[in-house]
Amino acid sequence: MNYRHAFHAGNFADVFKHIILARMIEYMKTKDKAFRLYDTHAGLGMYNLASEEAQKTEEAQAGVGAVLAGNPPKEVTRLIGPWLDAVRDAGEGKYPGSPAVAKYLMRKIDRLTLYELHEEDHAVLAKNFADDYQTRVLHLDGWLAVGAHTPPKEGRGMMLIDPPFEDGKDFDRMIIALEKARKKWMGGTMALWYPIKKREHTDDWLETLKGLKYSDILNVELYIREPRAIGMLNGCGMVIVNPPYTLRDELNLIMPWLAETMMAEKGWGYRIQDLSAR
Ligand code: SAM
């Protein structure tokens, strides 16, 4: 396990992922009943953008930095507002990872379960959530948790699956995890983040997902440059199974602005696709 998220915190991929996560949490909150959020690959929870790791890559500047310096249209400001509040309230030089965004937006009745396998990162995460009655921090393999810990006793909720994609096998693991989770928790919302280097590769994987013939599955992608070359993170995507019914319209408003704000080179853009069985 070599991947350390501290090098990448607040980059374009984090901004994309966390804005969507926040929209999904906001939707969950429109119903009175409590929900649970599983974050199977949680990271540190909170990041220091002045750290040696973050300073080495300076990825946050073109990510969260560009958002903070931007001037989005009114509708986008409203939609990204909850996530931006979490970023601003984290304080100058800090960037909230998915656990911290979730914790910031959740109500007192909602619950958060975090998995982090890296020993040092788990220790930091556990410290960040020490004495938090809403949150369980587990030093466990997030892939195993997908089947073992679902469905949540709250009945409703969602799962963010955000692995490091270190060994090329995480695309396959995602499909296995999804199928496993669906057997136990058909109604759960699952959000799967993935990297885009060469588009042909991810398009093949999306075809496999389409072949599962789920009734409600949405894909959204962001490219900061033409997704052609292997070896570079040119974009990223999120597949959402059982998405909030409001999400597609929200993404139609958010994505044009987000793609333009995150763009690095020509060939940038976005795509929103329905992968549901017809
Ligand atoms: N979700 C986080 C966020 O948005 O702030 C970022 C997570 S980062 C992309 C992936 C994390 O998964 C790393 O911290 C890594 O140590 C951890 N990890 C790798 N393999 C794991 C496994 N099998 N189970 C749980 N965590 C794992």
Side-chain angles (χ1 to χ4, degrees), residues 7 68 96 225:
F7 287 98
L68 291 170
R225 64 178 81 80

Side-chain angles (χ1 to χ4, degrees), residues 1 3 5 14 17-18 39-43 47 97-99 115-118 121 140-143 160 162-164:
M1 288 177 66
Y3 180 90
H5 197 66
D14 260 6
K17 179 201 322 171
H18 297 150
D39 191 342
T40 60
H41 297 74
Y47 296 88
S98 49
Y115 305 86
E116 175 52 55
L117 199 54
H118 192 285
D121 287 5
L140 287 178
D141 184 340
W143 296 118
L160 171 66
D162 181 25

